[in-house]
């Protein structure tokens, strides 16, 4: 009997037993749907994180004041004052460095515009910030060299900050706001980068570093220096250059550890992707268990079916079915139930991927890879689940089977 | 294997000292004890005998569904011991048609599909399969019941579907195990008439029966008693067990 005939036979049988077929394939439907949905959510998480990290800057290398984390607590006291503006200038002079933005952070400033106000963190910086942190301007302009040179009180706001002030970008540009009571003229609004939560890149205010220095901190110490590396393949080289330069400038003994830390975008990316891969594999594992349970359900139903159809098997052998014909009939039946379940499961999974993703705030879409994996696993499950019942059926002795009551 | 000129001398079926022993744990039941017989192409043979005497056991071996424990069984001159299970299946498919007491139709499949099913295993294309099945059903007078499920047919009609199924591969040999055993006298008469036609068309027919009319029509009667065989003559009703003639 050809596979086409076995298929025809299986479809006829499954149609007459539609309810049982449906219930049997339910396990596979659920397993496949969760595989598709969870892989979609896993990929969505990865993509979102990657995009967010990519949005952080252009081949960004972030140099932070202070030694490396020890037991989750940053090193010695005063370590946050180890970076200076002249350090930044020295880094900018190194080969392979595209741009350097010294950053002076003032957390929790209150911005007031008319009757509205909002709290955000302010970064005093230079025009290079736009390149280094990959900000685009949607209205107005970014801080100019002139503004830095003259210490002008001008500000560039993030789109979320503008919204928090109940204003539109068009309204806010040209207006005057106060930052911790000091008036600033708004000269631009950045493009939204997307992202949310703790350090929202759209809820920011940039001002000339000279203005921050004179009006707010009074000191010349920097929290971070953002470095944009010209060639992404050069990041390791530039990193070691910066390290050598800073150690020399800070006069560190060869035994002393660095009083600064460097994190590259690539490092963030690899940490993030290994974390999301772990989460994704965990989710896939759970879905795979559901699929295996579905397969056991199919094997069970097929075994019952063989028991019920002993006389049919005996009859088929009497009219000329060979062992492999009988085996094929039952195997194809199991595989068809599984694949039918897989088709429904894929559709269901595609339908629920979006909603499941938004339930956990991830823009999830079903992936082709996920669908292929789910389908392939279902096929394997169907063959494995059908094998034992098919073998049992094919090995029945025809005379015994015909006598069976 | 039956095609050359010498075929006429070779019996279609030949048993030499056929023995069939069932083992159940420590006990052994001898269902057949050294049976010898010859059945020629075109013969019409009735097998009679008391219940439990070994008739079905013999028929299963004749039909290549079972193998003897000892002795030799030649099918068209070929020693069946030399044939593997797949070869036997192919022979059953091509050369033998079975008719069972309990019909053994597959429910959920129409009469047409049931009749066509042996042709599936013969590798016949669907179109031709259905044509031949329809032809076969028309032949047994069920041309108007092609798409009925077996459950929608009477006992007599079901047996006629089973006969159509046995005939659809145009086999040389029809084996029937009490074909009228589950039927009332009217349906028995229908089935009986059909079997008579088959005899007239020259098929080899071996029928286990308790029905005296079928036995009377046979050219030869094989009487099985306690696993042994007594050859008898056609129309010799003394070979029928009187206790078993009730139905006719
Ligand atoms: N699978 C088996 N295991 C053990 N004993 C068996 C088996 N099949 C048949 N027998 C025994 O073999 C003997 C012959 O059985 P068989 O079915 O051939 O009888 P029969 O002549 O066809 O009887 P009936 O007219 O009632 O159909 C019986 O004694 C039966 O109990
Ligand atoms: Mg019997």
């Amino acid at each position: 009997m050809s596979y086409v005939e076995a298929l025809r036979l299986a479809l006829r049988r499954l149609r007459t037993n539609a309810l049982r077929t449906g219930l049997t394939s339910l396990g596979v439907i659920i397993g496949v749907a969760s595989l598709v949905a969870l892989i979609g959510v896993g990929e969505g998480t990865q993509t979102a994180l990657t995009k967010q990290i990519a949005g952080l800057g252009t081949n960004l290398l972030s140099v932070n004041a202070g030694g490396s984390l020890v037991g989750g607590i940053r090193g010695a006291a005063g370590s946050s004052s180890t970076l200076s503006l002249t350090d930044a200038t020295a880094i900018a002079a190194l080969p392979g460095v595209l741009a350097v933005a010294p950053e002076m952070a003032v957390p929790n400033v209150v911005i007031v515009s008319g009757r509205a106000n909002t709290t955000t963190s302010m970064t005093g910086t230079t025009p290079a910030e736009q390149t280094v942190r990959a900000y685009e301007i949607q209205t107005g302009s970014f801080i100019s060299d002139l503004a830095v040179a003259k210490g002008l009180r001008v500000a560039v706001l993030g789109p979320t900050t503008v919204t928090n002030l109940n204003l539109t970008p068009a309204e806010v540009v040209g207006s005057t706001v106060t930052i911790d009571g000091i008036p600033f003229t708004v000269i631009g609004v950045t493009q939204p980068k997307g992202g949310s939560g703790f350090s929202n890149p759209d809820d920011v205010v940039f001002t000339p570093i000279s203005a921050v220095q004179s009006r707010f901190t009074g000191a010349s110490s920097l929290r971070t220096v953002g470095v944009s590396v010209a060639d992404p393949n050069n990041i390791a080289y530039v990193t070691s250059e910066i390290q050598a330069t800073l150690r020399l400038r800070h006069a560190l003994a060869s035994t002393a550890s660095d009083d600064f830390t460097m994190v590259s975008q690539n490092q963030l990316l690899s940490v993030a992707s290994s974390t999301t891969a772990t989460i994704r594999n965990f989710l896939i594992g759970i879905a795979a268990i559901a699929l295996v349970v579905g397969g056991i359900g199919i094997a069970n139903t097929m075994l019952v079916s063989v028991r019920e159809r002993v006389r049919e098997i005996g009859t088929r052998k009497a009219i000329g079915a060979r062992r492999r014909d009988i085996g094929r009939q039952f195997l194809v039946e199991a595989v068809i139930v599984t694949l039918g379940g897989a088709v429904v499961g894929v559709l269901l999974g595609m339908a629920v991927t979006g909603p499941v993703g938004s339930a956990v705030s991830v823009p999830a879409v079903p992936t082709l890879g996920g669908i292929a994996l789910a389908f392939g696993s279902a096929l394997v499950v169907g063959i494995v689940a059908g094998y034992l019942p098919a073998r049992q059926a094919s090995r029945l002795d025809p005379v015994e089977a015909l006598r069976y009551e | 294997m039956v095609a050359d000129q010498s075929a006429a001398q070779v019996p279609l079926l030949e048993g030499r000292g056929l023995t069939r022993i069932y083992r159940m744990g420590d006990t052994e039941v001898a269902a057949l004890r050294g049976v010898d017989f010859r059945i020629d192409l075109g013969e019409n043979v009735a097998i009679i005998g008391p219940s439990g005497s070994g008739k079905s056991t013999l028929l299963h071996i004749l039909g290549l569904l079972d193998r003897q424990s000892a002795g030799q069984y030649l099918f068209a001159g070929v020693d069946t011991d030399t044939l593997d299970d797949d070869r036997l299946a192919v022979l059953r498919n091509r050369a033998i048609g079975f008719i069972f007491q309990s019909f053994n139709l597959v429910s959920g499949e129409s009469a047409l599909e049931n009749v066509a099913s042996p042709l599936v295993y013969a590798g016949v294309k669907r179109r031709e399969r259905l044509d031949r099945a329809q032809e076969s059903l028309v032949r047994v007078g069920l041309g108007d019941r092609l798409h009925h499920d077996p459950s929608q047919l009477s006992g007599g009609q079901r047996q006629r579907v089973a006969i159509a199924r046995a005939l659809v591969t145009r086999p040389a040999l029809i084996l029937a195990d009490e074909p009228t055993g589950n039927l009332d006298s009217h349906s028995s008469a229908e089935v009986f008439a059909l079997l008579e036609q088959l005899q007239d068309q020259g098929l080899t027919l071996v029928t286990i029966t308790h029905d005296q009319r079928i036995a009377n029509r046979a050219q030869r009667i094989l009487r099985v008693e306690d696993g042994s065989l007594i050859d008898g003559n056609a129309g010799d009703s003394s070979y029928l067990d009187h206790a078993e003639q009730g139905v006719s």
Side-chain angles (χ1 to χ4, degrees):
Chain A
M1 183 168 57
S2 70
Y3 278 105
V4 176
E5 298 298 345
L7 184 70
R8 200 174 268 147
L9 215 58
L11 289 177
R12 208 150 62 203
R13 160 72 45 180
L14 297 174
R15 216 171 29 228
T16 56
N17 262 329
L19 180 64
R20 178 193 283 195
T21 307
L23 289 175
T24 306
S25 54
L26 202 57
V28 172
I29 293 175
I30 291 170
V32 166
S34 24
L35 258 183
V36 170
L38 293 181
I39 289 174
V41 170
E43 295 285 329
T45 312
Q46 179 116 26
T47 312
L49 255 167
T50 307
K51 217 172 106 188
Q52 220 167 336
I53 290 169
L56 288 179
T58 314
N59 304 325
L60 176 68
L61 194 57
S62 182
V63 185
N64 301 306
S68 57
L69 289 170
V70 179
I73 296 160
R74 203 170 283 276
S79 60
S80 60
S81 60
T82 52
L83 287 177
S84 65
L85 271 170
T86 47
D87 284 337
T89 314
I91 293 170
L94 292 172
V97 171
L98 181 69
V100 170
E103 292 169 332
M104 199 168 277
V106 187
N108 302 323
V109 294
V110 177
I111 306 180
V112 179
S113 168
R115 297 172 145 233
N117 71 80
T118 180
T119 303
T120 185
S121 83
M122 177 168 68
T123 303
T125 185
T126 66
E129 176 81 358
Q130 215 191 328
T131 307
V132 170
R133 299 279 177 191
Y135 276 101
E136 303 278 344
I137 288 293
Q138 64 165 311
T139 313
S141 58
F142 202 72
I143 295 160
S144 63
D145 283 320
L146 185 70
V148 174
K150 297 203 163 178
L152 296 181
R153 283 180 279 119
V154 293
V156 175
L157 303 184
T160 304
T161 318
V162 174
T163 307
N164 290 347
L165 290 170
N166 297 327
L167 290 171
T168 64
E171 288 168 345
V172 82
V173 171
S175 74
T176 301
V177 298
T178 64
I179 300 176
D180 281 357
I182 300 164
F184 277 78
T185 304
V186 178
I187 58 166
V189 177
T190 60
Q191 283 281 7
K193 279 185 165 191
S196 57
F198 209 54
S199 56
N200 183 351
D202 293 335
D203 189 9
V204 286
V205 51
F206 295 108
T207 51
I209 190 165
S210 43
V212 171
Q213 215 172 348
S214 59
R215 306 279 169 177
F216 293 87
T217 60
S220 66
S221 66
L222 302 175
R223 171 71 64 77
T224 43
V225 176
V227 180
S228 184
V229 179
D231 180 353
N233 301 318
N234 254 349
I235 286 180
Y237 168 67
V238 173
T239 303
S240 64
E241 264 188 332
I242 293 174
Q243 187 184 25
T245 307
L246 288 181
R247 287 187 69 90
L248 192 68
R249 291 180 53 83
H250 295 183
L252 294 178
S254 61
T255 51
S257 57
D258 293 347
D259 59 355
F260 54 91
T261 49
M262 280 184 281
V263 181
S264 74
Q265 222 166 345
N266 288 2
Q267 279 172 307
L268 284 179
L269 259 181
S270 69
V271 169
S273 51
S274 81
T275 308
T276 52
T278 306
I279 294 170
R280 196 189 48 191
N281 292 343
F282 178 69
L283 295 178
I284 290 175
I286 291 174
I289 290 172
L291 190 55
V292 167
V293 171
I296 293 171
I298 286 182
N300 188 42
T301 307
M302 289 308 296
L303 284 172
V304 171
S305 177
V306 169
R307 206 27 61 83
E308 284 172 353
R309 287 153 69 188
V310 168
R311 276 188 86 92
E312 176 191 331
I313 293 164
T315 305
R316 289 190 181 281
K317 290 203 161 182
I319 63 177
R322 293 162 301 178
R323 275 189 182 184
R324 78 179 86 119
D325 296 323
I326 300 292
R328 193 172 286 180
Q329 181 186 344
F330 281 85
L331 187 64
V332 166
E333 222 174 282
V335 170
I336 290 302
V337 174
T338 319
L339 287 188
V343 170
V344 177
V346 163
L347 294 178
L348 183 67
M350 288 170 72
V352 302
T353 302
V356 167
S358 49
V360 293
S361 314
V362 168
V365 286
T367 66
L368 214 61
I371 291 169
L373 179 74
F375 220 82
S377 326
L379 183 64
V380 172
V381 162
I383 290 172
V384 172
Y387 178 76
L388 190 73
R391 204 176 69 148
Q392 219 178 59
S394 71
R395 293 194 172 180
L396 282 179
D397 175 64
V399 173
E400 301 268 318
L402 283 168
R403 275 181 194 275
Y404 189 85
E405 297 295 319
Chain B
M1 53 198 66
V2 110
D4 57 51
Q5 294 92 327
S6 65
Q9 280 83 51
V10 178
L12 179 62
L13 313 175
E14 183 175 6
R16 295 175 188 158
L18 279 190
T19 298
R20 179 65 167 99
I21 292 167
Y22 291 109
R23 283 195 182 78
M24 292 157 49
D26 297 341
T27 56
E28 291 190 346
V29 179
L32 292 178
R33 309 160 186 269
V35 168
D36 299 297
F37 59 86
R38 287 177 59 128
I39 295 172
D40 289 321
L41 202 63
E43 257 198 302
N44 173 16
V45 177
I47 299 177
I48 61 170
S51 180
S53 56
K55 304 183 295 294
S56 294
T57 305
L58 177 59
L59 196 83
H60 289 148
I61 293 174
L62 292 184
L64 306 173
L65 286 167
D66 195 9
R67 292 180 191 267
Q68 69 278 13
S69 314
Q72 209 179 19
Y73 176 46
L74 307 174
F75 190 95
V78 178
D79 186 344
T80 54
D81 278 342
T82 65
L83 302 172
D84 65 13
D85 287 354
D86 279 0
R87 282 303 306 170
L88 295 187
V90 170
L91 272 178
R92 287 197 296 272
N93 183 245
R94 300 216 181 124
I96 307 175
F98 287 94
I99 303 168
F100 301 98
Q101 180 174 356
S102 51
F103 324 131
N104 283 349
L105 300 176
V106 177
S107 67
E109 306 214 341
S110 68
L112 194 64
E113 284 156 350
N114 264 285
V115 172
S117 54
L119 298 176
V120 171
Y121 301 112
V124 176
K125 289 246 172 6
R126 182 170 164 80
R127 190 67 259 148
E128 187 190 340
R129 225 157 58 204
L130 295 181
D131 285 349
R132 280 170 65 176
Q134 179 169 359
E135 211 173 282
S136 198
L137 276 165
V138 168
R139 198 168 154 195
V140 301
L142 288 175
D144 55 347
R145 293 286 189 279
L146 302 180
H147 302 291
H148 284 56
D149 190 87
S151 61
Q152 299 165 323
L153 297 173
S154 74
Q157 288 171 331
R158 288 184 209 183
Q159 196 59 301
R160 277 148 69 196
V161 173
I163 293 172
R165 180 178 65 190
L167 294 175
V168 77
T169 55
R170 302 181 191 120
L173 174 66
I174 298 281
L175 297 175
D177 194 343
E178 301 187 38
T180 59
N182 275 4
L183 301 177
D184 61 27
S185 56
H186 175 70
S187 301
S188 291
E190 288 177 352
V191 168
F192 179 60
L194 263 173
L195 292 177
E196 280 199 309
Q197 276 181 35
L198 299 183
Q199 293 166 214
D200 297 342
Q201 287 158 9
L203 270 89
T204 313
L205 191 61
V206 179
T207 313
I208 296 178
T209 188
H210 291 163
D211 188 325
Q212 195 173 0
R213 280 177 306 177
I214 297 181
N216 285 344
R217 278 284 303 189
Q219 295 160 345
R220 200 147 61 92
I221 291 176
L222 298 178
R223 182 179 171 86
V224 185
E225 206 159 320
D226 197 18
S228 300
L229 205 59
I230 304 153
D231 217 331
N233 298 313
D236 188 347
S237 60
S238 70
Y239 286 103
L240 278 177
D241 188 312
H242 285 278
E244 295 171 359
Q245 293 178 23
V247 190
S248 56

